Amino acid sequence: MSTVLTSTKATTYKFYIKGEWRESKSSQTIDIYSPYSHEVVGKVQAITREEVDEAIHFAHEAQKVWKDISLQERAKYLYAWANELVDMQEEIAEIIMKEVGKSRSDAQKEVIRTAEFIRYTVEEALHMHGESMRGDSFPGGAASKLAIVQRVPLGVVLAVAPFNYPVNLAAAKVAPALMTGNAVIFKPATQGSISGVKMIEALDKSGLPKGLISLVTGRGSIIGDYLVEHDGINMISFTGGTNTGVHLATKAKMIPLVLELGGKDPGIVCDDADLKEAAVQIISGAFSYSGQRCTAIKRVLVHENVADELVKILKAEVEKLSVGSPEHESTIVPLIDKASADFVEGLIDDAIQKGATVVTGNKRERNLIYPTLLDHVTGNMDVAWEEPFGPVVPIIRVKSDEEAIQVANKSEFGLQASIFTKDINRAFAIANKIETGSVQINGRTERGPDHFPFIGVKKSGMGAQGIRKSLESMTREKVTVLNIQ
Ligand code: NAP
């Protein structure tokens, strides 16, 4: 069945429920504008609450059967999905590029990485086993008791994804949920929904049993709370901004939640660092996809003895970055929407007004913000603490490792941090005191490889992702005790 409705201008995409592509009974659609061409890329359905109810009902029906299907059988569908994604890589990359403004090659890499993620998820799940426990290992426990501990699915998982990796971060929820025997309600970011449609088209081609997954499109502000508070949802896996995550956590009923939220990852540069290498890592960490990555380096904390030298190298590197359109493979591309560009511009203006120096950048054309380096940033400036999700990097000069640790930890976020030094003992001494889920030594902050645990602390999240962790978070342990007569 076709996913689209023909139209004279933009394509209208349907939503996916019970293995069918449908138009919503609301008769309402949402226009998706390209962040760089400003044209309508397509229209998606604004579905109704009744359709959400229906999707959740079908999910429960399908999950009752799916949970008893063998792991090998589930694996076949997921492998087929991965293969379809690879076959559709160019078509999907084109949509990602147009819809969220990521360069075509990065978009294509996202699709391939997703297929690899799905395959690894299958293999990891196939090799996960429960355990048995003897009763007599506890004082007074009987040798005749044997506990069999298995992992069982939770039921229906609500997967809510952000715009910036509309395929990868969606599949990173859907694949572990399905592989562990759950059904899924997938809510893509509105700006990212068409990429979501394409990803589900690939899954549909695998022949997955009907009802196991639904793609529900519509504004989070309209259907978000209804989904989150719905009695039929048994677990929520959310990636997005901290404000949305905190809101969602207050709404969700007593169900497991995994939240991957914002960050303000510091790049800490010690006075013995290889400054050229540190600069390369900082530039790629901070500016790829215009800094629209949760793990982008979002502030540099540099020892004052080497600050001038580092700033000089960074300036030269930033000025080499290509700026323009994703269609031209530019590193710096227009931000996702006008509000995001306004926000970043506001942070830059506030810092300048309070005494920061512009090393380079501070230029804007519509949603396109030129890569901007701000030096002499101090704690009274918003850019020192806020997540810009754009191409601006504040440089904060520090006098000691202790001061760097103190400034790093003062942030409300705790996703990742990078430390640049040639002294491994110094690196560990700093790393041990940094309050983040991960610390990178002499490398940029980043999520992958995808089988590493990925954890945000403080306002950066709750629970853990990473393939094995995701599989665990979408199951619970169930204990059956055998009393041997
Ligand atoms: P966002 O605005 O928070 O949206 C994320 C998702 O939440 C979207 O699908 C959105 O739908 C939905 N949503 C909105 N209101 C909701 C509600 N009341 N209930 C349920 N869902 C609701 O985030 P974004 O702008 O897409 O992504 C950027 C943010 O994500 C950044 O802060 C970034 O750091 C963070 N992020 C974190 C990670 C990580 O792994 N830690 C990874 C990537 C991104 P609509 O689009 O329809 O509003």
Side-chain angles (χ1 to χ4, degrees), residues 325-343:
S325 164
E327 302 212 359
H328 301 137
E329 291 294 314
S330 303
T331 303
I332 304 297
V333 289
L335 297 184
I336 194 70
D337 55 25
K338 181 178 175 298
S340 303
D342 289 347
F343 180 66

Side-chain angles (χ1 to χ4, degrees), residues 63-290:
Q63 197 263 340
K64 280 184 204 146
V65 181
W66 181 247
K67 70 178 171 39
D68 294 327
I69 285 179
S70 80
L71 282 167
Q72 286 292 338
E73 195 71 15
R74 288 181 211 159
K76 280 186 203 155
Y77 292 108
L78 291 180
Y79 280 135
W81 180 25
N83 293 342
E84 291 294 346
L85 286 171
V86 172
D87 289 350
M88 291 171 70
Q89 61 182 280
E90 283 170 17
E91 181 187 349
I92 301 177
E94 172 90 9
I95 289 290
I96 296 177
M97 180 181 74
K98 290 194 165 142
E99 190 177 25
V100 302
K102 185 177 288 185
S103 73
R104 192 187 300 273
S105 62
D106 281 351
Q108 206 160 335
K109 277 187 216 148
E110 178 176 338
V111 181
I112 298 298
R113 176 180 174 187
T114 304
E116 284 160 359
F117 185 103
I118 295 167
R119 293 190 184 117
Y120 196 106
T121 300
V122 169
E123 282 145 27
E124 188 74 13
L126 292 177
H127 295 106
M128 278 170 74
H129 299 286
E131 60 176 345
S132 63
M133 298 171 82
R134 289 168 58 115
D136 60 350
S137 53
F138 192 83
S144 57
K145 277 189 186 290
L146 183 71
I148 300 159
V149 187
Q150 300 178 76
R151 296 204 82 92
V152 296
L154 297 174
V156 175
V157 171
L158 171 62
V160 185
F163 79 83
N164 61 340
Y165 289 87
V167 170
N168 187 263
L169 289 179
K173 302 173 189 314
V174 173
L178 289 177
M179 195 55 206
T180 46
N182 298 285
V184 182
I185 302 295
F186 165 40
K187 153 81 185 87
T190 296
Q191 188 92 30
S193 298
I194 307 179
S195 307
V197 166
K198 291 283 153 194
M199 185 191 85
I200 296 297
E201 254 182 58
L203 183 51
D204 177 63
K205 286 185 193 164
S206 75
L208 190 79
K210 293 180 194 312
L212 263 185
I213 185 155
S214 287
L215 167 71
V216 297
T217 51
R219 297 244 178 245
S221 51
I222 310 286
I223 56 165
D225 287 0
Y226 189 69
L227 277 163
V228 166
E229 292 177 317
H230 203 290
D231 282 340
I233 296 295
N234 307 114
M235 188 265 174
I236 301 175
S237 178
F238 172 85
T239 305
T242 293
N243 289 343
T244 319
V246 169
H247 171 82
L248 189 146
T250 58
K251 293 275 171 191
K253 303 255 171 69
M254 224 176 86
I255 54 168
L257 282 182
V258 173
L259 304 176
E260 293 183 320
L261 310 176
K264 186 71 181 170
D265 296 358
I268 299 174
V269 184
C270 298
D271 50 5
D272 65 344
D274 176 334
L275 296 182
K276 281 203 177 126
E277 185 50 31
V280 168
Q281 295 294 325
I282 289 168
I283 296 294
S284 109
F287 291 108
S288 306
Y289 187 36
S290 287

